[in-house]
Amino acid sequence: MTVTRDGDHVVWAGWRDVAHQDLDLPELRFTAGQYEAEVLRAGEDRSWEWPAGAVARLLEAGLRGRGNWLVRWDCELEGVWASRREPDRIHVVLMHPRNRADADLPWLQFGMTFPISADAPSVQAERLKARLTAGDPRATAEVWGGSHDAEQLGYPWPPVDPLFM
């Protein structure tokens, strides 16, 4: 479907479904104020989020808000994530070196896995942020990936992908 703004209304029209070519749904109109309020409410609703997902989201936001905390170690934050299949842990992934303008140079992906407890997600995220930003994260991280010549950066290649052990 296509979503458009028509004056004081938001319109859903032109429904398409490849699996159901004969789908014929009517145009739906919503008042723009109510529609925008509902979109904001839905964006702030975290009732669906499991604890590890909340910790990962909060930690990533906190680390990104921390600015250039990884510059001195020539790293950048790739992401923080959680999986519903592993509800008791999160993963932090860093890239080294940072700002790789030359794709031919060696690079590494560092990863760390942290257990999630029953503590409030915000408390855990703050605790992990303090831990991660206190020193060189490469000292405790594992090499999870990289370019074929990544050993030139001084880190041994892992014998097995830690996420699939």
Side-chain angles (χ1 to χ4, degrees):
M1 64 141 165
T2 302
V3 179
T4 58
R5 176 86 183 241
D6 180 19
D8 292 338
H9 290 91
V10 173
V11 181
W12 292 4
W15 299 84
R16 297 172 297 280
D17 187 341
V18 176
H20 302 95
Q21 297 288 331
D22 58 342
L23 182 69
D24 185 27
L25 294 174
E27 173 182 289
L28 297 175
R29 298 180 77 78
F30 308 92
T31 62
Q34 289 177 321
Y35 187 86
E36 290 168 5
E38 181 59 19
V39 168
L40 286 173
R41 186 207 60 75
E44 293 171 359
D45 179 10
R46 298 285 177 196
S47 62
W48 54 269
E49 197 171 44
W50 69 108
V55 173
R57 175 181 52 81
L58 294 168
L59 177 59
E60 182 164 359
L63 291 173
R64 292 200 188 281
R66 185 73 191 257
N68 293 328
W69 66 279
L70 288 169
V71 170
R72 76 173 107 164
W73 297 290
D74 199 18
C75 291
E76 64 184 291
L77 180 65
E78 184 175 320
V80 181
W81 56 275
S83 168
R84 286 191 181 271
R85 289 183 286 172
E86 299 177 306
D88 60 343
R89 68 190 73 211
I90 65 166
H91 307 282
V92 177
V93 183
L94 307 174
M95 296 298 291
H96 171 75
R98 60 189 281 278
N99 297 328
R100 293 182 314 108
D102 187 346
D104 293 331
L105 293 177
W107 60 274
L108 287 168
Q109 182 185 62
F110 287 101
M112 295 166 273
T113 300
F114 297 102
I116 298 305
S117 69
D119 294 345
S122 59
V123 170
Q124 292 183 75
E126 282 299 317
R127 188 170 44 232
L128 288 169
K129 181 175 81 171
R131 179 176 166 186
L132 284 165
T133 59
D136 184 350
R138 298 172 304 172
T140 57
E142 298 174 326
V143 174
W144 281 3
S147 60
H148 68 282
D149 53 354
E151 288 183 344
Q152 293 177 25
L153 295 170
Y155 294 88
W157 197 253
V160 177
D161 185 339
L163 291 179
F164 297 103
M165 292 187 345

